[in-house]
Amino acid sequence: MIIVLSCTSDFEEINKNPNQFTTASPEALLTGAFRTSLNEVGGEMNLWMFASYARYAGGLQGNELHQFGVAEVLTRGYWQNLYVDVITACDAVINIYEDNPDFNNRVQVAKAWKAYTYHVIFTTWGPAPLSNAIDINQLPDIIFDSEEKGYTQILSMLKEASDNMSAEGDSFVNGQDVIYGGDMNKWMKFINTMRLKIALRISTGFPSLAQQHINEALAKGEDMLILDNSDNAILSFENDPVNWNSFYNQEVIVQNDNHIPKVNHNFMLFLTTYGDPRIEVFAAESKKKVLITDMLQEGGGSTDTISVQYAVPYLGEPLGTNANRALPNWGLNENDNPLRDYEFDNYSGWGERFMAADADYTLISAAETYFILAELNATGYNTVESAQSYYNKGIEASFSRYNLQNELSGYLSQDGIAWGTSSQGKRNYNGIITSGISDDPLEKILTQRWIAMFFQGHDGYCLQKRTRKLAWSPFIEPADRIGVDYLDFPERMFILKVS
């Protein structure tokens, strides 16, 4: 037997697999990051946390999170997925392609998405690793940045991305962009609008930092903001088991009533009080309608009364179960609960477009941007138009999005809706809150923004957490809260171990 030994300086070249990808494309990395963001923020976190916290979903009694309690195993999973599958992918695009001018715009998109993701983390968990996150050289000492330090870096990322993008620069290859199809002008509007949105979101806690970025974002001009529905930033689920809507999965596949949302009673109250035509978009008619019996005078000079019965097409459900709707210390006894005998099918589910397998999830819409501008004007910022003008345009953009333009004038003419007017509204089922809207400009703007953002659970939650101005009934008898009778919402999540 003859054995031949040899050595070559070209060993690495000889042993390369010609069919193996050595560097992931920015398109592949960013698409994966977008998909994970959708599945987590718009899907699982929305289902188990945000839609309830924002009072878009009612019922939902499936786990501790739905009951405003703690489910650390779930929240740790969300945390890990956002870091590992989103931020790591964005960092890869930046690290691999930042020095190549042919990829400049896509690198700026990665920076912006990284900033957006960190903002979700900081608004959900509070202080978190950012400065030395995803850096193996820093192990095992991962530092949690304060919220101020975190938001300073987040807004700086968005500023850098905004300042360095060009509509004439590079784009996604073959339009491989699931949000804007490679339109860099739309991406520039998204980044500047997201910067404005996050800056306003932190304005109570860090006013100086917020003011700097609000003024700089406004200085870029309104043509660099999302002010038309064609520019809305939307991610869409897909009609396949891997990427379909979490809410669709619960309703059609799992079929567990405890996990299927109904329209929240609080939210529904504002729709029905003002005859909001968007109710047909946001809600489905109840499968088993509640029958209401009323006694009316016969008329024509007669004093006789007749019994009239009619069905209630839309009925919202409060959070939790009947056990969460009684608080004896407040005089709210279970026997006095008018909803105590109603069943799952008596309540209205979410509208079809939000429960579909391939539903759209909105990151920022024109309506939301108009309400942001309205709030900024109302709080003293220098804007092109008045708060009233932006307020009306925000409602118009929301109606237009759902092809309800013909219903706009009637809605806008009502007391409580019309600028400068107020209304008494109607009381909720336990009389704690009403759907009345005062003539306070901020209350009006924030109420309409909340309504327009239906399905954007994270945004609705953050809006109330910052302002505390929306008329929301508290969740009674929350889980895991010894000695706590009620809770507006969990202020933040937590994890016991970072890995």
Side-chain angles (χ1 to χ4, degrees):
M1 180 172 66
I2 301 174
I3 300 175
V4 178
L5 300 175
S6 66
C7 180
T8 175
S9 60
D10 297 324
F11 181 84
E12 289 186 359
E13 290 299 319
I14 292 172
N15 284 277
K16 278 185 177 178
N17 181 349
N19 297 315
Q20 181 178 4
F21 290 107
T22 56
T23 304
S25 71
E27 287 78 12
L29 290 165
L30 287 170
T31 298
F34 297 156
R35 180 61 54 201
T36 299
S37 297
L38 173 62
N39 288 340
E40 297 299 331
V41 183
E44 292 299 292
M45 296 171 77
N46 207 18
L47 169 66
W48 300 110
M49 297 163 48
F50 295 139
S52 299
Y53 301 168
R55 303 306 195 272
Y56 294 135
L60 287 180
Q61 46 203 278
N63 68 17
E64 289 86 351
L65 289 178
H66 283 155
Q67 300 172 52
F68 289 21
V70 178
E72 199 267 341
V73 172
L74 284 179
T75 55
R76 186 177 350 118
Y78 307 147
W79 167 284
Q80 291 173 337
N81 290 341
L82 291 174
Y83 272 104
V84 175
D85 295 337
V86 182
I87 292 172
T88 299
C90 292
D91 275 343
V93 174
I94 297 166
N95 295 334
I96 295 169
Y97 297 101
E98 188 168 27
D99 294 332
N100 189 334
D102 293 338
F103 294 89
N104 174 67
N105 277 346
R106 283 164 286 179
V107 168
Q108 306 313 323
V109 169
K111 291 178 182 177
W113 205 261
K114 177 181 176 180
Y116 162 75
T117 305
Y118 270 122
H119 129 268
V120 172
I121 290 171
F122 274 82
T123 51
T124 304
W125 284 277
L130 194 164
S131 299
N132 70 342
I134 320 297
D135 184 353
I136 61 173
N137 295 319
Q138 300 294 332
L139 293 174
D141 300 319
I142 299 297
I143 298 172
F144 277 58
D145 289 312
S146 68
E147 289 179 81
E148 183 173 14
K149 186 176 181 180
Y151 286 120
T152 298
Q153 294 176 79
I154 288 165
L155 288 167
S156 292
M157 288 182 223
L158 290 168
K159 172 180 169 58
E160 183 179 351
S162 179
D163 290 346
N164 288 289
M165 283 195 77
S166 168
E168 291 75 37
D170 64 283
S171 182
F172 290 70
V173 174
N174 298 324
Q176 296 176 50
D177 169 10
V178 295
I179 298 178
Y180 284 129
D183 189 327
M184 286 297 129
N185 190 57
K186 291 181 185 291
W187 270 110
M188 291 168 69
K189 292 181 181 181
F190 167 82
I191 293 170
N192 198 46
T193 309
M194 182 60 72
R195 183 184 178 194
L196 189 67
K197 175 175 175 173
I198 294 174
L200 177 59
R201 183 160 286 171
I202 67 165
S203 59
T204 302
F206 312 108
S208 297
L209 178 63
Q211 185 177 40
Q212 172 201 338
H213 286 276
I214 288 171
N215 285 329
E216 289 179 6
L218 290 174
K220 288 183 176 287
E222 290 194 354
D223 58 341
M224 279 293 101
L225 295 174
I226 294 173
L227 293 175
D228 188 275
N229 283 322
S230 63
D231 295 329
N232 291 350
I234 295 171
L235 277 167
S236 300
F237 292 99
E238 297 176 6
N239 197 14
D240 72 76
V242 176
N243 294 315
W244 62 28
N245 182 5
S246 297
F247 294 91
Y248 169 86
N249 186 64
Q250 292 297 330
E251 182 176 52
V252 177
I253 307 302
V254 179
Q255 296 186 352
N256 184 336
D257 290 352
N258 291 331
H259 301 169
I260 300 172
K262 298 296 184 177
V263 175
N264 187 278
H265 176 78
N266 225 151
F267 187 78
M268 183 72 83
L269 192 64
F270 280 85
L271 299 181
T272 56
T273 297
Y274 301 98
D276 194 325
R278 289 171 292 185
I279 195 171
E280 296 182 4
V281 178
F282 298 151
E285 290 195 13
S286 304
K287 294 180 180 179
K288 186 177 180 181
K289 296 177 176 60
V290 172
L291 298 177
I292 301 296
T293 301
D294 200 1
M295 301 299 295
L296 302 177
Q297 278 197 341
E298 195 172 58
S302 172
T303 59
D304 294 339
T305 58
I306 56 175
S307 175
V308 178
Q309 192 174 66
Y310 54 92
V312 178
Y314 297 102
L315 183 65
E317 184 177 14
L319 290 167
T321 68
N322 281 328
N324 301 114
R325 296 164 197 169
L327 191 57
N329 291 342
W330 288 16
L332 301 176
N333 299 305
E334 189 165 351
N335 290 336
D336 298 327
N337 173 14
L339 307 178
R340 65 185 181 278
D341 296 325
Y342 292 167
E343 304 171 0
F344 179 80
D345 286 339
N346 291 140
Y347 297 106
S348 297
W350 281 7
E352 182 179 356
R353 69 186 297 151
F354 303 101
M355 296 299 292
D358 57 353
D360 291 339
Y361 180 75
T362 303
L363 298 160
I364 312 177
S365 69
E368 186 180 1
T369 309
Y370 278 122
F371 292 126
I372 289 171
L373 291 171
E375 181 179 349
L376 291 175
N377 180 273
T379 52
Y381 282 90
N382 185 23
T383 58
V384 176
E385 299 181 33
S386 67
Q388 179 179 358
S389 176
Y390 289 130
Y391 168 82
N392 288 333
K393 286 184 175 182
I395 298 174
E396 181 180 1
S398 180
F399 274 54
S400 176
R401 182 178 185 183
Y402 302 118
N403 299 313
L404 296 169
Q405 300 92 316
N406 293 338
E407 311 292 333
L408 179 64
S409 60
Y411 182 77
L412 280 174
S413 66
Q414 300 177 82
D415 286 345
I417 306 298
W419 192 260
T421 68
S422 62
S423 62
Q424 289 187 339
K426 299 176 182 177
R427 289 195 174 277
N428 73 326
Y429 77 98
N430 59 17
I432 292 178
I433 59 101
T434 77
S435 56
I437 303 174
S438 75
D439 58 1
D440 172 26
L442 281 180
E443 183 182 339
K444 277 185 155 35
I445 293 164
L446 296 171
T447 298
Q448 288 298 330
R449 182 178 172 186
W450 170 55
I451 294 172
M453 294 191 308
F454 182 76
F455 197 47
Q456 293 173 238
H458 174 255
D459 289 318
Y461 164 59
C462 289
L463 184 67
Q464 179 73 331
K465 191 161 66 164
R466 171 175 67 90
T467 66
R468 315 286 170 149
K469 272 190 167 288
L470 298 170
W472 288 3
S473 181
F475 185 72
I476 298 172
E477 297 292 350
D480 306 323
R481 311 278 179 172
I482 298 174
V484 176
D485 290 333
Y486 67 93
L487 197 66
D488 290 326
F489 42 73
E491 294 289 338
R492 59 184 52 173
M493 297 294 105
F494 69 89
I495 55 173
L496 297 176
K497 179 182 178 182
V498 178
S499 58

